[in-house]
Structures are given as C-alpha cells and as structure tokens.
Amino acid sequence: MALRNIRLEDDPILRKKSRKVAEINERIKEVVNDMIETMYEADGVGLAAPQIGILRRIIVMDVGKGPIVLINPVIIKTAGSQIGLEGCLSLPGVNEEVERPNYVQVKYFDLKGRAKVIEGEELLARAICHEIDHLEGILFTDKVKKEII
Ligand code: ZN
C-alpha cells in the first residue's frame, strides 16, 4: 500500500469523465488499497479515483462504519432531499451547502467482482453522490446554490 498525491482544484484531471473498470485485477486492487490509505491519511469521508489521477470508476468511503468500496457505481433510485455542508479533499478549506437526495440506492461491483446494491441515507447518501459526481468530472462547488441577494 502507498499514499498517493491528491489532485487539487485546478488539476484538469478532476474535470474528466472516468471510464468503467473492465476487470478487477491486481492493479485495480492496489489502486483501491492506496485510495483507502490515502483517504484515511487525509482524514476524509470519501475519495474517488480521479482525485489520485486515475480515471476509473472507483470510489471509497467511510462514514464511520468501516471502508466501503464501490466499483462502477450507478445510482438506480433516489428519494427526498437534504441540504448540508460539504467539503472535498481536492478543495481544501472550502465548505459550502449543497442539496442532495436524502436516500440513494446504488448498484455496483465489489472487489470480488460480485454485483451488489447498497442503500444510503443522510451522510452516506451525500458521500455517495459527491463521489459519483467526481467520476463525471463534477465538483461539489458546481452545485452550490447561487442565492440572489
Ligand atoms: Zn470530493
């Protein structure tokens, strides 16, 4: 395992769309382990592969119940909404309120290549949406409500 450099806001890779993982091989497993280590070292709740410069559809998260790894995640259902403060390891020092679904259901593959579904509410739903946005080249600051004063 190794720590990876987290790409910061002006890095063009953060604006690119990630490609699906075609095969879960040793290299992908190494990337996942490095992502988890890098996320914990940076004290983050989640990390997406493009944040370490890898344009593959992989996200890792830990909202306090242990690491979650989602490969090729796709949101299949959302419900409700929540507004809360968000931050991002690629945008240090920036916290803004973002509206997200309060519930999401996501299909994905685990590290053994098994098709699975995860449900998330509140913080987990927020984290999943935030990280999946990274796979599309979207940063949370793109979604901040612009209030007219
Ligand atoms: Zn982020």
Side-chain angles (χ1 to χ4, degrees):
M1 299 227 287
L3 289 175
R4 307 271 186 132
N5 287 328
I6 297 176
R7 305 300 184 95
L8 299 178
E9 50 187 325
D10 292 333
D11 194 315
I13 206 157
L14 292 175
R15 291 306 189 174
K16 292 188 174 153
K17 200 171 161 162
S18 293
R19 285 182 293 162
K20 277 188 180 173
V21 174
E23 184 201 356
I24 297 162
N25 53 26
E26 288 309 308
R27 190 185 154 267
I28 292 295
K29 288 177 187 171
E30 189 183 323
V31 166
V32 167
N33 285 331
D34 289 355
M35 286 173 67
I36 291 169
E37 191 179 349
T38 303
M39 173 181 74
Y40 285 136
E41 173 71 19
D43 205 17
V45 167
L47 191 70
Q51 290 181 278
I52 58 162
I54 293 169
L55 290 171
R56 285 286 186 272
R57 301 186 81 83
I58 306 168
I59 64 180
V60 300
M61 289 167 295
D62 189 338
V63 295
K65 292 176 181 171
I68 298 169
V69 177
L70 307 186
I71 294 168
N72 299 340
V74 177
I75 293 173
I76 52 176
K77 191 175 172 188
T78 67
S81 74
Q82 56 171 322
I83 294 172
L85 272 183
E86 239 166 81
C88 179
L89 293 177
S90 293
L91 302 170
V94 181
N95 292 97
E96 302 276 4
E97 282 193 333
V98 185
E99 186 171 2
R100 299 285 188 186
N102 197 50
Y103 167 89
V104 293
Q105 203 176 83
V106 177
K107 63 175 185 176
Y108 68 101
F109 291 89
D110 70 9
L111 265 181
K112 291 180 176 166
R114 296 175 297 203
K116 291 197 167 178
V117 173
I118 186 173
E119 292 180 305
E121 285 187 304
E122 298 174 358
L123 178 60
L124 182 55
R126 175 175 298 284
I128 290 171
C129 293
H130 177 117
E131 301 310 331
I132 289 179
D133 275 353
H134 276 299
L135 306 181
E136 300 298 323
I138 297 166
L139 298 177
F140 82 93
T141 44
D142 300 348
K143 301 206 158 176
V144 171
K145 279 194 168 172
K146 301 279 184 285
E147 286 182 28
I148 299 161
I149 299 164

